[in-house]
Amino acid sequence: MCGVVGFFKPKGLTDYEKSKVLSSMCNQLVHRGPDDEGKWIDAESGIALAHRRLSIVDLTYAGHQPMDSTSGRYCLIFNGELYNHLEIRRKLGEGIVWRGTSDTETLVAAIEHWGIIKTLQACVGMFAIVVWDRIERTLSLARDRMGEKPLYFGWQDDTLLFASELKALKVHPAFKKEIDRDVLSLYLRLGYIPAPWSIWRGIRKLKPGCVISFSSDSANRYPEPVVYWSFEDVVVRGSQSPFEGSYEEAIHSLESILGNAVSGQMVADVPLGAFLSGGVDSSAIVALMQERASRPIKTYSIGFHEQDYDEALHAKKVASHLGTEHTEFYITPKEAYEVVPELHTIYDEPFGDSSAIPTHLVSKLARQEVTVALSGDGGDELFGGYGRYFNKKAEHLRKVLRVTPTVAISAIKHLFEAIPVPSSKFASNIEARLQLVEDLAKCNDFQSFYQRFTSQWAPPPVSFDSKSLTYGLDSRVLKNIQDHVGKMMAMDTCVYMPDCILTKLDRAAMSTSLETRVPLLDHRVVEFAWRIPITMKVNEGKGKWIFKQLLYRHVPKELIERPKQGFGVPVGSWIKGPLREWAESLLDAQRLREQGLLDSSRIRDRWAEHASGYRNWQHPLWVILMFQAWAEAQ
C-alpha cells in the first residue's frame, strides 16, 4: 500500500515546479507510505511522478519507486498489491533478469512485454497505477476492478494533476478550490460522492476497471476511458449463464474460489492479521485464513460499552473457537468522538458514514502489531446481506405503489400528520416513512426508485439550483436482472461498495499506515457470486444463505446466528450530548446563511426535532455536519 502523486504539463515544467511543487505534494501522502520516498521528473516532457512507499513485499531498495522498465521506455508508480505476481513472472518466461522480488518490478516488466491492457487483465489484485511511456509520450492512469484503491485526476488550467488523495492535489499552485455544487447536492442525497465525481470542480475519480491515457495534444480534454474489466458485463453474463449445480456443489465451489483468494492475500513480508467483528463476513475470512496458517492469526475488534453497538463479545467467541490470537479494545465515548475532528483530514471530501469512526479505531489498534489486515467487506453486496434484500421491504413497497394511486398515498400521509403524536418513536417511524412512500410513488423507473430509497435527503437541502448527476448501472444492464433484489444488489456493488465502503476502509486504514485487503472482492469471487442464483443467497427470508453454509463448516451456527448489527456508533445521542456544542456551532442558522450553500430553514427544523428528541435525524444531520466540518477546514 502506498501513495502515488504527480502532474503532467505538456508545455514543460518550470524550475519551481521541478524543485518545490512535487515534493510538497508528495509530503501530503506520508501516512500512505512512511517507509520510502521517490521522485522522477522529465521537465522537457512536462511529467513529474512521486511515490510514498509502505513496504509490504520485497522490503529492499529493489522495490523502490518510481521504477523504470528494463528498456527504459516506461516509468511507473503503483499503489496496491498484485497477489499473482509470481505467476505473471512465470508466464513472462525465463529471459528476464529480475533485480528483486517486488510486484512493482513484475508489473512494469509485464507492461513492457504485453502492453497495459493485457497486463491489467492478467493481474489479480488491488491497485492504482500511473505509467509514463517515453516513446509515445503518453501518461496512463489505471484503477483496479472493484475500486479498492483510489485515484483522483483532473485538468487545472494547462496542468493535469493526479494522486491517491485530494490533499496532495490541493498544494499544487494550479489547483482551484471551487466546490462543485451539483456534486454537493449528490453528496447530500447519498452521504458520499460516487465516481466519477469529486467535491472539487474539475477533479474526477477514475472509475474502477478503467484506464485513461493523456498525451501532449490532449491538454484540457478527457479522452474516453478504456474498460479492461466490466462489472456490467459480469452482471449480464451471470444473469444469462447462472450456476446450475446443486446447493452443495455451489458451496464447495465458493469455498474453493474464496479460499484461493484468501491464500493469495496472505502473502506478505511483514506481520499480517485480520479484522474480526464476529459477523458472517469477517468470521468466514478469518476461518479460511486460520485454516491456511501455521500459527494463530492475529485478529482485532473494537468494543463499545453501549450494548446496541457492541459486537466485541461475539468476536471474542469466534476467535476462541478458531484459535486466533485475539485483541479487543473497549473504547469510551470520549475516545470515539475525539476522532471526529480528524475525519475531514482523513477523507479530504465530505463523507457522511459515521462508521468511519470505529473503522479508524480498529485500524489504529491493528497497526500497533501488524502492517497488513484482511477485511470481510463485500459479503453483504455480493450475497444479499442487507435487510432491504431479504425482508423485501423495497419489493413490497413497489408492489403497493403499483396499485395505490399517488393521491391516496398523499391523503393518508396528511391524515397522519393531522393526528396528535403521542410519542417521538411513533413520529419517527410513521410520518417520515409515509413521506418516503409518497416520494417513491412518483418514481417511474428502477434507478429513480433506488436513488430515492437510498437518499439521506430528498430533495437535497441546498440554496441553489443544481442538475441531477447520473451514477450507477445503465438501465440496459438492469433489464438483464429479473429479480428486484438482484437489481438492488447490483447497484450497491457498483456504487455503494466502491464509493462508500471501500473509501471508508482505505482512508481509515491508510491514515494509520495500515494496508487492508479484501478477499471477497477478488474478481474471480465476484464473477462466481453473480452466477449464483438469488434463491441461493436470499432463502427462507434470510440473507447470505450460501455464504453462511460455507461459514458453518468452520464455525458453529449458534456463534453466528443473530440479528445483523451495523459497524456504527451512536452519533445521534452524541450530537445531543457531548458533541452538542460542536454540532450547534456548525448548524448555526446565521453561519449557514452566510455560507450560501445550504437551506438553513430545513436543516434547522430537523436539528430542532432531533435535539428535542421528537425525531431521530442522526443520519441526515451527520451528513450535514461532515460537510460543514470539511468546508470549515478548506
Side-chain angles (χ1 to χ4, degrees):
M1 197 76 69
C2 305
V4 299
V5 62
F7 50 93
F8 177 38
K9 188 177 180 182
K11 293 180 180 179
L13 305 182
T14 65
D15 289 340
Y16 177 69
E17 287 168 328
K18 289 187 292 183
S19 62
K20 300 292 185 182
V21 175
L22 188 61
S23 292
S24 63
M25 294 175 76
C26 192
N27 289 340
Q28 298 298 313
L29 300 180
V30 172
H31 56 285
R32 295 190 74 92
D35 299 329
D36 190 21
E37 176 186 61
K39 303 184 192 71
W40 181 90
I41 295 174
D42 181 342
E44 182 181 351
S45 298
I47 183 71
L49 306 176
H51 184 263
R52 291 294 320 193
R53 186 183 183 200
L54 177 63
S55 303
I56 303 295
V57 175
D58 190 346
L59 310 185
T60 72
Y61 191 78
H64 177 80
Q65 300 182 47
M67 184 179 289
D68 286 330
S69 64
T70 303
S71 71
R73 174 174 178 173
Y74 297 99
C75 185
L76 174 145
I77 50 178
F78 161 51
N79 166 32
E81 299 290 343
L82 300 187
Y83 307 123
N84 68 331
H85 87 96
L86 294 179
E87 178 186 342
I88 291 175
R89 287 193 174 201
R90 287 192 291 271
K91 290 181 179 179
L92 286 170
E94 299 180 356
I96 299 176
V97 178
W98 300 103
R99 293 165 288 181
T101 59
S102 76
D103 52 353
T104 307
E105 187 180 2
T106 305
L107 180 60
V108 74
I111 289 173
E112 182 158 71
H113 283 75
W114 297 339
I116 190 167
I117 298 298
K118 183 179 177 181
T119 296
L120 294 173
Q121 291 171 340
C123 289
V124 176
M126 56 178 184
F127 46 80
I129 301 169
V130 180
V131 185
W132 173 253
D133 183 336
R134 285 185 176 93
I135 294 178
E136 298 293 335
R137 296 170 72 91
T138 298
L139 179 74
S140 296
L141 314 179
R143 194 175 179 203
D144 65 67
R145 294 170 177 86
M146 296 304 294
E148 292 185 60
K149 295 295 101 194
L151 189 53
Y152 293 87
F153 68 100
W155 288 105
Q156 300 284 276
D157 292 331
D158 61 352
T159 305
L160 181 75
L161 309 179
F162 49 89
S164 297
E165 296 183 18
L166 284 171
K167 57 176 62 70
L169 304 186
K170 286 172 58 181
V171 299
H172 192 285
F175 186 84
K176 300 175 182 178
K177 294 172 62 174
E178 181 182 356
I179 292 174
D180 189 320
R181 295 190 173 198
D182 297 329
V183 174
L184 172 58
S185 293
L186 187 56
Y187 162 75
L188 295 172
R189 279 187 175 275
L190 297 176
Y192 59 92
I193 298 173
W197 318 110
S198 89
I199 192 63
W200 296 115
R201 185 175 299 280
I203 302 297
R204 304 181 180 187
K205 301 183 185 84
L206 184 61
K207 285 188 173 183
C210 289
V211 183
I212 188 169
S213 297
F214 298 88
S215 59
S216 57
D217 61 356
S218 60
N220 292 303
R221 293 192 298 106
Y222 293 96
E224 189 68 24
V226 175
V227 178
Y228 69 87
W229 184 89
S230 167
F231 175 68
E232 295 184 351
D233 290 346
V234 170
V235 170
V236 173
R237 288 197 306 268
S239 301
Q240 294 176 347
S241 180
F243 182 81
E244 295 181 346
S246 67
Y247 277 28
E248 193 62 30
E249 289 170 333
I251 297 166
H252 178 76
S253 295
L254 176 59
E255 181 162 12
S256 175
I257 296 169
L258 181 56
N260 288 336
V262 168
S263 294
Q265 298 194 21
M266 289 176 67
V267 175
D269 295 333
V270 293
L272 176 142
F275 298 149
L276 179 61
S277 69
V280 173
D281 303 338
S282 65
S283 297
I285 296 303
V286 170
L288 294 174
M289 290 177 69
Q290 191 58 71
E291 187 177 61
R292 288 155 175 76
S294 58
R295 59 184 182 180
I297 292 291
K298 293 178 180 289
T299 53
Y300 303 90
S301 65
I302 289 290
F304 294 91
H305 297 287
E306 295 91 342
Q307 188 173 354
D308 289 346
Y309 295 87
D310 183 38
E311 289 194 315
L313 178 62
H314 306 298
K316 187 174 183 179
K317 291 178 180 178
V318 172
S320 177
H321 174 79
L322 293 173
T324 72
E325 184 181 328
H326 190 60
T327 301
E328 63 180 18
F329 178 59
Y330 272 83
I331 59 173
T332 65
K334 183 175 185 294
E335 289 169 314
Y337 57 69
E338 282 178 347
V339 175
V340 172
E342 301 177 40
L343 293 176
H344 67 81
T345 301
I346 291 172
Y347 286 89
D348 278 341
E349 290 186 285
F351 187 74
D353 186 341
S354 62
S355 63
I357 297 170
T359 305
H360 172 76
L361 290 168
V362 75
S363 298
K364 188 175 181 180
L365 174 67
R367 188 61 177 93
Q368 295 174 15
E369 297 182 332
V370 301
T371 311
V372 177
L374 272 63
S375 166
D377 290 298
D380 288 320
E381 291 80 6
L382 293 177
F383 297 100
Y386 293 130
R388 59 178 176 265
Y389 304 152
F390 56 82
N391 62 21
K392 296 197 173 182
K393 286 181 181 178
E395 177 66 10
H396 291 159
L397 271 174
R398 281 178 65 83
K399 289 179 179 177
V400 168
L401 296 176
R402 288 193 198 107
V403 298
T404 307
T406 303
V407 64
I409 295 170
S410 180
I412 295 170
K413 172 178 174 289
H414 291 304
L415 176 63
F416 270 99
E417 289 175 344
I419 299 174
V421 179
S423 73
S424 60
K425 182 177 180 180
F426 181 90
S428 178
N429 289 344
I430 298 297
E431 291 182 49
R433 293 182 183 184
L434 280 171
Q435 180 62 59
L436 173 62
V437 171
E438 184 178 17
D439 292 346
L440 291 173
K442 301 172 184 176
C443 299
N444 54 18
D445 56 30
F446 174 79
Q447 281 98 329
S448 60
F449 181 90
Y450 176 86
Q451 289 168 13
R452 177 59 188 95
F453 192 76
T454 56
S455 289
Q456 299 285 359
W457 290 87
V462 294
S463 58
F464 52 85
D465 293 329
S466 65
K467 65 180 180 181
S468 179
L469 300 176
T470 59
Y471 61 92
L473 292 170
D474 189 273
S475 59
R476 292 171 295 178
V477 177
L478 292 169
K479 286 178 181 178
N480 287 274
I481 309 173
Q482 300 303 315
D483 190 280
H484 179 74
V485 172
K487 284 181 169 65
M488 296 197 76
M489 290 170 61
M491 286 289 283
D492 283 344
T493 304
C494 180
V495 182
Y496 179 63
M497 169 60 68
D499 296 312
C500 183
I501 300 298
L502 294 179
T503 295
K504 173 182 64 181
L505 181 66
D506 175 82
R507 306 307 190 280
M510 288 312 300
S511 69
T512 69
S513 302
L514 177 75
E515 172 172 301
T516 48
R517 300 176 177 179
V518 189
L520 279 162
L521 296 185
D522 182 299
H523 70 278
R524 298 162 299 183
V525 177
V526 174
E527 289 168 358
F528 182 72
W530 270 94
R531 292 187 60 221
I532 298 173
I534 290 291
T535 53
M536 291 189 184
K537 300 176 183 179
V538 179
N539 189 297
E540 298 177 353
K542 297 181 180 179
K544 289 198 282 199
W545 184 89
I546 188 173
F547 198 54
K548 289 178 181 177
Q549 306 315 305
L550 183 161
L551 175 58
Y552 297 154
R553 293 180 172 185
H554 303 272
V555 179
K557 185 176 182 179
E558 56 268 22
L559 292 184
I560 301 296
E561 199 65 34
R562 63 182 184 274
K564 179 179 176 62
Q565 284 181 261
F567 192 41
V569 288
V571 294
S573 60
W574 288 358
I575 61 177
K576 291 192 294 184
L579 291 179
R580 181 157 185 162
E581 184 177 347
W582 169 79
E584 184 63 63
S585 173
L586 292 175
L587 301 179
D588 177 75
Q590 182 175 348
R591 184 178 192 167
L592 290 168
R593 286 193 294 269
E594 290 175 353
Q595 188 183 49
L597 292 171
L598 304 179
D599 183 337
S600 62
S601 177
R602 286 182 64 198
I603 292 169
R604 290 298 303 180
D605 285 347
R606 287 203 176 184
W607 172 235
E609 290 182 346
H610 183 85
S612 68
Y614 177 66
R615 283 184 179 169
N616 182 0
W617 292 117
Q618 63 174 342
H619 298 303
L621 286 173
W622 190 254
V623 167
I624 299 293
L625 288 166
M626 287 297 95
F627 171 73
Q628 289 294 90
W630 172 85
E632 184 180 60
Q634 302 313 303

